[in-house]
Amino acid sequence: MHVKPKNLKTRPARWQTVPEMLLLTTLLAGGCGSDSPNANPPSEQPVGQPVTDSDASPGPADESPVISPSVTGTTALGPLPSPPLSAPPSNDDEPTVQDTRLHTSTAMPILEDAATLPAPPPPIGISEAEFSAGPLAPVVLAPPGVDLDENQPPYFENLDNITVLAGQLLELNLAPIDPDGGVADQYVATFLPRSRSVDNDDATKTIFWTPFEADVGIRDFTIFALDAENPELRVAYTIRIKVEMPSDPSTIENTPPTINHIDPYTVRVGDPVVLEITATDPNDTVPTIEISNLPPAATLLPHRDIPSVHVLRFVPEVAGQIALEVIARDALEPTLRAEDIFIIDVEAPARFTHEGGRLRELADARDFLIGFAASPNYYHRADGALYADTAAAEFNLVTAENSLKWDYVNPYPGDYRWADPDNLVAWAKANDLALHGHTLVWYAQLPPWVLDTPVASREGHMREHIDRVLSRYRDDIKLWDVVNEAIDEDGSYRPSVWYEAMGPDYVDIAFRQARASAPDATLIYNEYDTEVKGPKADALFALIDDLQANGTPLDGIGFQMHLFTDFVAFDDLAANMAEVASRDLDIYVTELDVSLRDSDDLAEQVAIYEGVLSVCLLQPRCKALQTWGFTDRHSWRRQFDPLILGRDYQPKPAYLAIQRRLGEN
Ligand code: G3I
């Protein structure tokens, strides 16, 4: 039976105010680089500017603040909250040694957290009351300079909350309208599992979705209407979709399970290979998993905590390609099954030695740091052993890509997950790599419980978090991104739960707390798009001046540098680094990757890696260059092959260019 939302009210009478913009900003979080295909959300209205309502509750200051001179100046921090606002780490959070059959490490034990599943599992976060309150009011996202009276924002008609029964087909018709005429476009920001989207020839879109038992609950569904004349002018609509169980569950079709596909891996002969195979069933049952061509002496174990995961472990003894035939069977009807083939390319160890010095040897010789960002739990992946050994050979500095972020290390109040950072610290110390902590205070990757904290308590929560993380790693991690990405695209402060609570002072407070908690650590501010001249770089310099005038303990600046192969602004980079150096600060290239705009842009990729390294080496205050990963097989932008080793771990021309440049004076 189809469920079609009934035709309901027309475009809303008013647009969104700033506080809900914060929510949307969080929704849109992630994605960096000024012009990436996963581009950042279009620049929001200047922070603090209510879009249309005079009654909008503005941010801390009710005009659009520039970066400086906004820091009002905290001289000394008071004591941390007592009693603590959230339970501090306890012995219950201490990781334990993991069963060796579940990981790829042979040189050192791997720790695991007490429980990798939240208890109880988090609900699909919207309450009945929120559902009954109706959809969120639309939020206008307008690039600077757009006159909304001249170019009226596009809108959707007939959008309202929807209730659908599990097993029923929902047909959602989406028809954006541009009041100025022209054909508005649209962008669906929320993925509905196993849904199908059809672009109709009248510029409308129809989404077909059959929810099952696993989808029961209430979820947000966000879509954007894009202006016909200026697609940067867009309006976000968020409705709520409630999935309920039918009175007779037997009416729900039993559907086959699905297997999470795994792309090919490259591994070495003799290394332990571990593959976490995930199979799920929309009917919320747990499929069985089998491999019809199990490698010799392999084990296939259910994951201790995650029912949908089985762990395959084996040690390949000969080179060649393994094509694992994976079968998942429905728990209720085993004839209902899914199949997939996972490719493991096994290479002789000799394939991974190459001419010329290893990068870290060349960097050590010039007292320079060459580093990478380590994927979380790399030792739970098939190529974990090759990944770890390659990194230990090539780098003398390592950052945790995700596992020291708040949503990883403290997903629930009082619940700490130290295992992955502990494992990375142990591995780095065993292989003589320095460690770079990322990141203590950011607007993104915050656990829901932090987003829900009362505004008045946020400073305390922020300071407790900084103190707890730094206290644990004080002796091992000596370089920290204290605050990440506080500056918005237009040079104003980026909206965030931190800015909403403390205004510009949150940056100063975070650094003061970090200094108090880890007096020996080098504390840096990390930002993207500051390698080119423009509002963000200007705002960075102003922020530095502001903080330094205020006595904030700031030691350095991180230039992230998530680039594409059209980057040519090496002079801007050198000039901006010189601006930072002139303020007696150290400089770190913290997250370099160079995404290919076109698969044959390799020459441009080489020139950019070599050019950025040269600018850094010629700037005495530039202490380190880190890439955001090192093999294309594990990159946040894997689809653009942005790194220096291929998916097969073979050196790319960019690696050779870095190797060559490090060897020159
Ligand atoms: O771990 C979960 C996994 O359990 C789940 O199945 C999967 C699908 O939902 O998500 C996994 O978490 C993802 C995580 O990366 C690990 O892969 C998150 O959804 C995803 O949001 C997260 O993306 C990270 C991104 O920051 C978040 O903004 C990227 O890996 C990470 O490379 C990227 O790094 C940022 C820096 O911290 C700051 N500078 C910009 C840089 C790129 O955005």
Side-chain angles (χ1 to χ4, degrees):
M1 176 176 49
H2 280 204
V3 171
K4 278 192 175 185
K6 41 192 188 309
N7 285 345
L8 286 161
K9 60 183 187 277
T10 57
R11 62 187 281 191
R14 74 182 188 92
W15 304 107
Q16 201 38 24
T17 56
V18 171
E20 278 74 9
M21 287 269 282
L22 293 177
L23 174 67
L24 183 70
T25 305
T26 309
L27 258 180
L28 297 169
C32 280
S34 51
D35 60 352
S36 74
N38 320 324
N40 267 308
S43 52
E44 291 79 10
Q45 288 292 336
V47 173
Q49 294 277 2
V51 174
T52 53
D53 287 348
S54 54
D55 64 356
S57 51
D62 59 4
E63 70 286 336
S64 169
V66 291
I67 283 295
S68 170
S70 306
V71 175
T72 56
T74 33
T75 48
L77 292 178
L80 285 165
S82 177
L85 297 175
S86 68
S90 71
N91 288 335
D92 295 345
D93 297 304
E94 286 309 311
T96 55
V97 175
Q98 183 171 70
D99 178 339
T100 54
R101 290 172 298 174
L102 299 178
H103 61 76
T104 61
S105 173
T106 51
M108 51 178 255
I110 290 296
L111 302 176
E112 63 180 1
D113 289 308
T116 54
L117 272 184
I124 299 180
I126 315 282
S127 69
E128 280 295 342
E130 288 170 303
F131 181 80
S132 308
L136 293 184
V139 175
V140 178
L141 296 164
V146 167
D147 179 346
L148 296 181
D149 294 324
E150 285 296 308
N151 184 4
Q152 297 179 74
Y155 63 95
F156 283 102
E157 281 186 328
N158 311 327
L159 270 189
D160 203 347
N161 287 356
I162 300 166
T163 299
V164 58
L165 295 178
Q168 268 186 344
L169 173 63
L170 168 66
E171 185 180 327
L172 185 53
N173 297 301
L174 303 170
I177 295 169
D178 189 320
D180 305 316
V183 177
D185 198 354
Q186 59 183 301
Y187 160 67
V188 177
T190 306
F191 170 68
L192 295 171
R194 301 173 312 285
S195 61
R196 185 167 57 90
S197 172
V198 174
D199 290 325
N200 305 312
D201 52 15
D202 59 355
T204 66
K205 194 188 284 280
T206 304
I207 293 180
F208 298 90
W209 183 46
T210 302
F212 289 95
E213 292 91 333
D215 305 307
V216 167
I218 304 173
R219 68 189 61 218
D220 278 338
F221 178 79
T222 298
I223 38 173
F224 290 84
L226 278 54
D227 185 71
E229 177 193 332
N230 178 355
E232 287 290 297
L233 170 58
R234 52 188 66 183
V235 184
Y237 282 75
T238 298
I239 61 171
R240 267 87 200 252
I241 301 180
K242 173 163 54 173
V243 179
E244 295 180 319
M245 284 297 287
S247 53
D248 176 5
S250 68
T251 59
I252 303 172
E253 178 201 354
N254 184 15
T255 58
T258 56
I259 299 170
N260 288 14
H261 181 66
I262 296 176
D263 285 343
Y265 274 113
T266 297
V267 302
R268 278 178 312 196
V269 171
D271 279 345
V273 173
V274 163
L275 209 55
E276 292 190 348
I277 302 170
T278 302
T280 54
D281 191 304
N283 298 111
D284 224 10
T285 54
V286 180
T288 59
I289 293 177
E290 59 195 72
I291 295 173
S292 56
N293 58 340
L294 209 56
T299 57
L300 181 59
L301 298 171
H303 190 287
R304 181 197 69 186
D305 300 308
I306 309 175
S308 58
V309 174
H310 280 62
V311 182
L312 169 71
R313 188 185 192 278
F314 67 98
V315 178
E317 298 301 345
V318 293
Q321 185 173 89
I322 298 173
L324 294 168
E325 296 164 1
V326 181
I327 301 163
R329 295 184 187 280
D330 186 276
L332 305 176
E333 295 172 41
T335 56
L336 278 179
R337 53 190 267 175
E339 297 173 1
D340 202 342
I341 301 283
F342 295 161
I343 299 294
I344 309 280
D345 288 315
V346 184
E347 301 281 1
R351 281 272 293 147
F352 302 99
T353 56
H354 51 71
E355 298 297 312
R358 295 288 189 165
L359 302 184
R360 71 174 296 170
E361 294 160 1
L362 298 162
D364 286 340
R366 53 187 315 147
D367 192 23
F368 185 68
L369 290 169
I370 187 83
F372 75 105
S375 305
N377 300 312
Y378 61 84
Y379 35 79
H380 289 153
R381 292 192 312 231
D383 60 353
L386 177 58
Y387 182 92
D389 290 353
T390 304
E394 296 290 358
F395 302 104
N396 57 16
L397 175 65
V398 62
T399 290
E401 179 181 16
N402 283 302
S403 47
L404 272 170
K405 291 171 180 174
W406 202 326
D407 64 344
Y408 268 74
V409 81
N410 180 211
Y412 299 92
D415 179 335
Y416 286 85
R417 310 291 171 90
W418 301 121
D420 194 56
D422 282 6
N423 289 325
L424 186 64
V425 166
W427 173 83
K429 290 167 75 174
N431 291 285
D432 196 21
L433 281 86
L435 283 141
H436 176 165
H438 174 81
T439 180
L440 295 169
V441 179
W442 190 21
Y443 72 89
Q445 288 188 265
L446 294 171
W449 76 269
V450 170
L451 297 174
D452 293 342
T453 50
V455 171
S457 68
R458 290 211 189 118
E459 175 180 334
H461 282 293
M462 181 182 84
R463 292 182 54 202
E464 283 181 347
H465 178 71
I466 292 169
D467 185 57
R468 289 163 180 176
V469 174
L470 291 184
S471 297
R472 187 173 184 89
Y473 297 109
R474 182 182 295 131
D475 298 331
D476 299 313
I477 303 179
K478 298 294 190 182
L479 170 64
W480 276 95
D481 294 345
V482 175
V483 173
N484 188 48
E485 303 176 14
I487 300 171
D488 214 341
E489 310 314 318
D490 62 358
S492 64
Y493 275 101
R494 178 187 295 274
S496 71
V497 290
W498 311 120
Y499 182 80
E500 187 186 18
M502 294 166 264
D505 285 354
Y506 86 89
V507 179
D508 171 68
I509 294 166
F511 275 92
R512 288 181 187 277
Q513 184 59 56
R515 179 67 92 226
S517 301
D520 302 336
T522 297
L523 307 178
I524 69 176
Y525 171 78
N526 193 41
E527 187 59 79
Y528 69 89
D529 281 359
T530 50
E531 64 276 356
V532 293
K533 292 189 184 307
K536 283 196 83 168
D538 296 340
L540 172 67
F541 307 142
L543 173 62
I544 294 169
D545 294 342
D546 213 8
L547 294 172
Q548 289 183 327
N550 186 55
T552 305
L554 170 69
D555 302 318
I557 299 295
F559 287 70
Q560 290 184 14
M561 303 199 74
H562 292 288
L563 305 177
F564 278 79
T565 37
D566 56 0
F567 178 80
V568 292
F570 300 102
D571 293 345
D572 282 13
L573 174 62
N576 289 356
M577 283 191 173
E579 279 287 338
V580 171
S582 71
R583 292 164 168 82
D584 191 23
L585 292 171
D586 287 339
I587 294 161
Y588 299 81
V589 175
T590 50
E591 307 184 13
L592 179 61
D593 48 27
V594 183
S595 295
L596 297 175
R597 277 211 171 287
D598 185 313
S599 57
D600 57 18
D601 282 357
L602 280 179
E604 287 82 354
Q605 188 178 63
V606 171
I608 294 167
Y609 270 108
E610 185 164 6
V612 170
L613 176 58
S614 287
V615 169
C616 178
L617 292 176
L618 293 172
Q619 169 47 261
R621 297 304 294 264
C622 190
K623 302 297 181 188
L625 182 141
Q626 292 178 251
T627 52
W628 204 242
F630 62 89
T631 163
D632 288 336
R633 178 64 178 78
H634 303 299
S635 163
W636 73 298
R637 279 184 171 161
R638 190 167 64 196
Q639 69 273 40
F640 301 111
D641 291 332
L643 292 166
I644 60 177
L645 297 187
R647 295 173 185 229
D648 58 0
Y649 285 77
Q650 294 306 308
K652 293 164 63 176
Y655 173 92
L656 303 176
I658 291 177
Q659 184 188 51
R660 180 177 61 246
R661 184 62 186 84
L662 282 174
E664 294 167 356
N665 59 24

